[in-house]
């Protein structure tokens, strides 16, 4: 099931309702819904779809908005998330890597808070039918684990039009997921989602999926290998204005913009 719209949009009964995420604690974790990108996809040779959040510049407003159509497969009735913050000390060109002081803490806060929240409750209108039994998605989403990996980015992997040689491929992302999850003992099930988040200035190309490169075509995407579902989440505020149209941020601008992309990919994947 894929939820498109300004990152998260409720489309029950043909309506479009924008929702802000409020944490259960004192801190509001901002889900910024300024990115005007709908859920987009590219079909590759295997006939599978790679869904992504387009950049503001790459956005094309749809002519018609319709309810989602159930395709007959399973959904994530319950959702568990694993976050890999891939943060070496330098980029491939030797320049210092950077994440904002609140970035990692707010990523963790989002995944701890989103389950049971009004935002995630949007998903409960959607369902699966297995063996003739209809089961709606539950408002259950948990953080299964978070790991900061300081291993250097591999060099000479790709050239992102926006970041040059500071670039990792889709294959590098899946290799990173497999490396970390095996080291941490994280299992792969149909309810799990793995996120790889890179530092400011690090681009990414997914030419094997037919969707091009970060910051010029997309701000993040999700895909799968076998049963392993994963998301590639670059540092969305690397270039101001590419991944949001918002101008105010209640917490940390860098974390807030990235969390907009994170929420988009999470809800689509579920």
């Amino acid at each position: 099931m894929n939820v498109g719209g300004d990152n998260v949009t409720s489309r029950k009964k043909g309506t479009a309702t924008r929702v802000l995420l409020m944490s259960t604690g004192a801190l509001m974790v901002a889900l910024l819904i300024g990115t005007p990108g709908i859920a987009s996809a590219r079909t590759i040779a295997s006939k599978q779809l790679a869904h992504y959040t387009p950049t503001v510049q790459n956005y094309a407003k749809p002519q018609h908005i319709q309810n989602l159509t159930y395709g007959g497969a399973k959904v994530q009735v319950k959702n568990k998330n694993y976050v890999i913050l891939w943060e070496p000390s330098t980029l491939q060109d030797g320049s210092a890597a950077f994440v904002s002081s609140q970035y990692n803490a707010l990523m963790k806060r989002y995944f701890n808070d989103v389950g049971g929240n009004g935002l995630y409750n949007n998903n409960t209108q959607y369902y699966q039918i297995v063996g003739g039994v209809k089961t709606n998605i539950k408002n259950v989403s948990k953080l299964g684990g978070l790991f900061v990996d300081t291993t250097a980015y591999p060099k000479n992997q790709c050239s992102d039009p926006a970041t040059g040689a500071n670039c990792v491929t889709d294959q590098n992302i899946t290799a990173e997921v497999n490396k970390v999850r095996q080291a941490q003992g994280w299992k792969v099930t149909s309810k799990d989602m793995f996120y790889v988040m890179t530092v400011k200035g690090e681009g990414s190309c997914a030419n094997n999926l037919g969707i091009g490169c970060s910051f010029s075509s997309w701000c993040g995407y999700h895909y799968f290998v076998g049963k392993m579902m994963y998301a590639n989440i670059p540092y969305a505020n690397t270039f101001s204005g590419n991944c949001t149209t918002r101008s105010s941020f209640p917490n940390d601008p860098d974390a807030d913009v990235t969390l907009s992309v994170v929420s988009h990919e999470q809800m689509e994947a579920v």
Side-chain angles (χ1 to χ4, degrees):
M1 309 291 288
N2 296 293
V3 181
D6 292 349
N7 299 296
V8 180
T9 305
S10 172
R11 296 207 171 145
K12 191 173 183 179
K13 298 181 181 178
T15 62
T17 304
R18 295 182 176 183
V19 183
L20 285 177
L21 169 64
M22 297 291 293
S23 77
T24 54
L27 178 67
M28 174 192 285
V29 179
L31 173 67
L32 302 176
I33 45 181
T35 305
I38 62 168
S40 299
R42 290 291 180 268
T43 304
I44 58 176
S46 64
K47 303 301 181 182
Q48 306 296 348
L49 297 176
H51 287 263
Y52 65 89
T53 306
T55 61
V56 173
Q57 295 79 6
N58 197 39
Y59 166 69
K61 188 174 182 179
Q63 297 299 309
H64 302 284
I65 296 177
Q66 299 176 340
N67 291 339
L68 297 181
T69 301
Y70 178 54
K74 292 183 177 181
V75 299
Q76 290 190 355
V77 174
K78 295 182 180 180
N79 167 252
K80 184 178 289 186
N81 305 284
Y82 297 89
V83 179
I84 300 168
L85 298 161
W86 196 359
E87 300 174 355
S89 58
T90 62
L91 302 176
Q92 288 94 329
D93 65 2
S95 59
F98 173 84
V99 295
S100 68
S101 60
Q102 299 183 67
Y103 196 81
N104 292 2
L106 287 172
M107 296 301 145
K108 183 177 182 179
R109 185 71 182 250
Y110 169 83
F111 285 107
N112 277 328
D113 287 354
V114 67
N117 200 278
L119 166 67
Y120 201 86
N121 196 55
N122 274 340
N123 292 341
T124 63
Q125 66 189 288
Y126 304 111
Y127 56 86
Q128 66 180 24
I129 300 175
V130 178
V133 178
K134 180 180 177 180
T135 306
N136 283 70
I137 295 171
K138 300 182 185 302
N139 193 351
V140 176
S141 179
K142 297 181 179 180
L143 177 62
L146 182 147
F147 182 78
V148 179
D149 185 6
T150 59
T151 303
Y153 295 134
K155 295 183 178 181
N156 303 317
Q157 300 297 299
C158 50
S159 180
D160 188 311
T163 63
N166 297 325
C167 180
V168 290
T169 65
D170 175 71
Q171 294 93 330
N172 296 144
I173 295 296
T174 57
E176 174 70 4
V177 172
N178 284 322
K179 181 191 75 173
V180 173
R181 71 172 182 80
Q182 290 169 9
Q184 296 298 306
W186 297 342
K187 296 181 180 180
V188 174
T189 74
S190 59
K191 67 180 180 181
D192 299 325
M193 181 79 174
F194 298 87
Y195 301 78
V196 178
M197 302 181 187
T198 47
V199 302
K200 188 170 187 176
E202 182 68 12
S204 182
C205 293
N207 296 323
N208 60 313
L209 302 182
I211 61 174
C213 300
S214 60
F215 307 122
S216 54
S217 295
W218 49 265
C219 299
Y221 67 85
H222 71 275
Y223 197 63
F224 62 92
V225 175
K227 291 184 178 180
M228 186 182 80
M229 188 172 291
Y230 66 95
N232 181 359
I233 311 290
Y235 201 92
N237 209 29
T238 290
F239 298 100
S240 178
N242 279 47
C243 296
T244 186
T245 58
R246 292 290 293 255
S247 59
S248 61
F249 309 92
N251 296 297
D252 172 79
D254 288 8
D256 286 352
V257 177
T258 298
L259 282 171
S260 178
V261 179
V262 167
S263 67
H264 187 133
E265 299 308 324
Q266 181 188 22
M267 304 308 161
E268 283 188 340
V270 171

